[in-house]
Amino acid sequence: MKKPFFYFLMVIMMVSIIQPAAPVKAASFTDVKGFKDEIGYLTDLGIIRGFPDGTFRPDNSITRLQAVLMLMREMKVEETDIPDPGFNDVKPGSAGYQEIAAASHLGIISGFSDGSFRPGGTLTRAQMAKILVNAYQLYGIYPYGFTDVSENYWGTEFISPLAANNITVGFDDGSFKPDLAITRAQFSAFMSRILEPEFRPYNPLVKDTILEMLFEMKLLDYDVHPTKPIIYFLDGVDNVVVAFNYETYEDHIVKLPLPAEKMDYANGKLYVTQLKRAHSSYWWEEEQEGAVAVVDAESMKYLHSINVATDPFDIAADDEGNVFLTSGSGQHVNIKSYNSTTGEMLSDVRGPYEKSYIEMHPSQDRVYLIDTTVSPRDLEVYPISDGKLSAGKDSPYHGDYPLTTDLTIPEDGGYIFNGSGNVFYSSMTPSADMTFAGKLDRGYTSIAFDVPNKEFYTSNKNTFVQAYNYDTFRPSYQLETYGNVQKLIYHHDALISLTEFKPKGTPKTLIGMETIYFK
């Protein structure tokens, strides 16, 4: 699957293999020296048996049939009503016919252009990568590549995920040797590494994440679907909203009528700021204009836009379709709310300075605001009732704590996290609201929360993620990434890191999507 939105994509599916003979314990093989533990492991599982003379013949090239037999035995495929694979050299009743038919039916193997399968032929390292990746549904991009595997080589989409999962490290000279025939011992080692991670070699180039995608985009903003594995990207290169399913790799794109800057998701809709001219401190409020585009987040259809009497900078939305906007121009300005269906202005409250960020509280009864252009920086809160804002209230501090422009509220609504590392309470009790709660050991530029499991994660545009305990705010462990982290998302038991990454031999800096599936 390849679409214009993607710079590069590798998606793979997987399977398994077998080999007949009387069971022999690994220690009984008279000729096994290298990969002895791996061969013993597969022998104990009944996947390999060796030959009647007590040998394994590890240095012999593995045949295509032998590899299929090993995989099918491990997968315990017992289907009997399997269609004929149609290979002209594998007929019903011939050795391994049933296993070859099953592997073909499962999409693990394929034949040659002349219609043959060549069961007695040797298996190259590239062919090995293909059947193992197909069999075990391995995926991922190994961004460093190999010196003898080009981007256009047919086996790249299989060799890369094999390396990304640390099943292969290649040779010391940086090559993979894709056309080299693989031995019985080597195939056993690769298969063992998939089944038992303890057999995998140490490779400092392989990180804790799986690099799944590389996008060519200017990432302006993002949001996530509350129940589906979908991330919404606001791309400044093509001025589009993209819905990307990170399980199926499907995408849907909506072109926007005016330049976009910020976006918010609420109750099945995406609300996107639309700019009618550049921000300016001298574009006074009475002259300002802009718009908000409304997109159906389920069907990914552009619905309509409403015109607003402000230069929209940041946006928050509630489940009733009301949008709340700060201004990007005019110095001392107002925060306003609109009905996104009718375009009616619901409230116009004096208070913030231009280019302030806002964050909706999960209860949707208030928005918090942080200044970006004044010093000392300050927090404010604005109550909401029926889509209407009330006068704001300053935090009890003024310059007591250094603040960055970041403002994030976790799903339980109990705290306000700031990129400086300072944490404040979010409370309905006015005297407790925005009071100091604690401090992290370092600042950050992105943060994501897994509140049910009492963890959260931060990064500061570097190549690692710092994990913390949610109850104590104390650091617990780190995870390495391939690229410099720009945004962190915790969604559906997965930590998703959007990173800036420049692949080997590519002049462009791309956005990488790296994932860790904790489940």
Side-chain angles (χ1 to χ4, degrees):
M1 175 173 52
K2 204 166 189 176
K3 301 201 175 187
F5 172 60
F6 303 143
Y7 175 80
F8 177 24
L9 168 61
M10 295 177 189
V11 188
I12 304 99
M13 304 190 61
M14 323 172 350
V15 270
S16 295
I17 322 189
I18 332 184
Q19 171 187 346
V24 175
K25 284 293 180 183
S28 301
F29 291 132
T30 59
D31 57 348
V32 172
K33 293 182 176 61
F35 300 122
K36 191 168 186 175
D37 290 341
E38 291 88 339
I39 292 170
Y41 172 76
L42 295 184
T43 303
D44 291 342
L45 291 178
I47 295 170
I48 55 178
R49 297 176 179 176
F51 293 89
D53 63 358
T55 63
F56 181 69
R57 303 175 193 176
D59 297 328
N60 285 11
S61 296
I62 194 169
T63 68
R64 292 165 59 80
L65 172 58
Q66 289 168 347
V68 168
L69 291 174
M70 288 178 66
L71 287 175
M72 292 300 97
R73 184 172 291 154
E74 191 281 320
M75 294 180 77
K76 298 179 173 58
V77 175
E78 298 177 354
E79 296 182 58
T80 56
D81 188 20
I82 300 173
D84 189 324
F87 300 127
N88 57 34
D89 56 351
V90 180
K91 300 298 182 182
S94 60
Y97 169 81
Q98 195 71 19
E99 289 85 357
I100 292 171
S104 176
H105 183 61
L106 291 170
I108 297 170
I109 61 170
S110 58
F112 294 90
S113 58
D114 63 359
S116 67
F117 176 69
R118 305 176 194 174
T122 59
L123 191 72
T124 68
R125 288 169 58 84
Q127 292 166 344
M128 170 275 300
K130 180 178 179 179
I131 65 173
L132 289 179
V133 162
N134 283 344
Y136 294 103
Q137 299 176 19
L138 304 180
Y139 62 93
I141 300 168
Y142 185 63
Y144 309 108
F146 297 100
T147 57
D148 54 353
V149 179
S150 70
E151 183 180 329
N152 297 323
Y153 178 62
W154 72 266
T156 298
E157 64 176 308
F158 305 108
I159 295 168
S160 190
L162 203 68
N165 287 273
N166 203 23
I167 308 305
T168 182
V169 295
F171 293 89
D172 291 341
D173 62 359
S175 67
F176 181 74
K177 297 182 173 51
D179 298 325
L180 185 68
I182 190 169
T183 68
R184 289 164 54 80
Q186 290 166 345
F187 187 85
S188 299
F190 286 128
M191 190 171 175
S192 297
R193 292 171 186 176
I194 293 175
L195 300 177
E196 176 48 68
E198 287 188 6
F199 289 125
R200 297 178 188 181
Y202 173 69
N203 183 358
L205 296 179
V206 174
K207 307 307 180 184
D208 295 310
T209 62
I210 291 290
L211 177 60
E212 294 197 45
M213 295 289 296
L214 289 170
F215 304 99
E216 187 174 0
M217 67 158 67
K218 180 182 179 181
L219 182 62
L220 298 177
D221 204 359
Y222 72 92
D223 217 321
V224 295
H225 193 285
T227 59
K228 298 178 181 179
I230 295 175
I231 305 175
Y232 300 100
F233 297 112
L234 190 57
D235 174 21
V237 173
D238 297 318
N239 197 46
V240 295
V241 177
V242 181
F244 176 69
N245 186 309
Y246 58 82
E247 289 185 353
T248 66
Y249 296 123
E250 294 177 307
D251 72 279
H252 299 277
I253 300 171
V254 175
K255 183 73 175 175
L256 298 166
L258 293 170
E261 191 169 61
K262 298 291 288 183
M263 173 177 68
D264 198 24
Y265 173 97
N267 197 22
K269 290 185 173 61
L270 293 165
Y271 302 92
V272 189
T273 61
Q274 299 282 268
L275 307 183
K276 295 191 175 181
R277 54 176 278 194
H279 301 310
S280 169
S281 298
Y282 304 101
W283 185 15
W284 307 119
E285 189 165 29
E286 57 271 17
E287 303 168 344
Q288 290 176 24
E289 58 178 344
V292 174
V294 183
V295 175
D296 188 310
E298 303 298 326
S299 65
M300 286 303 288
K301 301 292 185 184
Y302 169 79
L303 299 178
H304 63 271
S305 291
I306 60 166
N307 292 302
V308 295
T310 191
D311 171 33
F313 180 74
D314 200 10
I315 185 169
D318 65 19
D319 290 342
E320 303 304 316
N322 303 310
V323 293
F324 306 84
L325 301 167
T326 58
S327 175
S329 300
Q331 300 176 31
H332 292 283
V333 290
N334 291 7
I335 179 171
K336 301 179 181 182
S337 64
Y338 290 83
N339 181 301
S340 67
T341 300
T342 65
E344 177 189 2
M345 182 188 290
L346 302 175
S347 57
D348 185 3
V349 177
R350 194 70 177 168
Y353 206 76
E354 66 180 21
K355 298 180 182 177
S356 293
Y357 288 112
I358 53 175
E359 177 86 354
M360 176 72 71
H361 191 271
S363 64
Q364 298 191 356
D365 61 359
R366 58 196 188 275
V367 292
Y368 289 90
L369 178 146
I370 190 163
D371 302 314
T372 68
T373 57
V374 295
S375 182
R377 192 163 286 126
D378 199 11
L379 289 172
E380 300 171 42
V381 63
Y382 292 81
I384 301 171
S385 178
D386 296 325
K388 298 178 180 178
L389 295 157
S390 298
K393 171 183 175 291
D394 280 344
S395 77
Y397 312 109
H398 191 69
D400 296 341
Y401 298 98
L403 298 173
T404 70
T405 59
D406 175 80
L407 182 66
T408 309
I409 302 173
E411 61 193 78
D412 65 355
Y415 298 105
I416 304 166
F417 282 76
N418 181 259
S420 62
N422 289 309
V423 186
F424 304 88
Y425 289 108
S426 173
S427 173
M428 280 295 293
T429 304
S431 60
D433 199 23
M434 298 181 287
T435 56
F436 184 72
K439 184 175 177 60
L440 308 184
D441 66 327
R442 72 198 76 185
Y444 61 85
T445 54
S446 187
I447 189 168
F449 298 91
D450 177 15
V451 175
N453 290 309
K454 301 297 183 180
E455 281 198 335
F456 65 97
Y457 315 91
T458 71
S459 192
N460 197 20
K461 292 188 176 180
N462 41 34
T463 56
F464 72 92
V465 173
Q466 179 66 56
Y468 290 86
N469 181 286
Y470 187 68
D471 289 332
T472 65
F473 299 161
R474 293 184 61 82
S476 50
Y477 58 91
Q478 292 183 347
L479 300 164
E480 286 191 287
T481 60
Y482 287 98
N484 293 312
V485 178
Q486 305 301 303
K487 303 289 184 183
L488 290 172
I489 305 167
Y490 190 88
H491 197 232
H492 288 205
D493 298 315
L495 179 64
I496 300 170
S497 177
L498 302 176
T499 62
E500 282 192 350
F501 191 83
K502 184 178 288 187
K504 182 179 177 181
T506 303
K508 296 179 180 178
T509 297
L510 306 175
I511 298 296
M513 188 182 81
E514 305 182 35
T515 56
I516 296 173
Y517 292 96
F518 290 97
K519 197 171 183 179

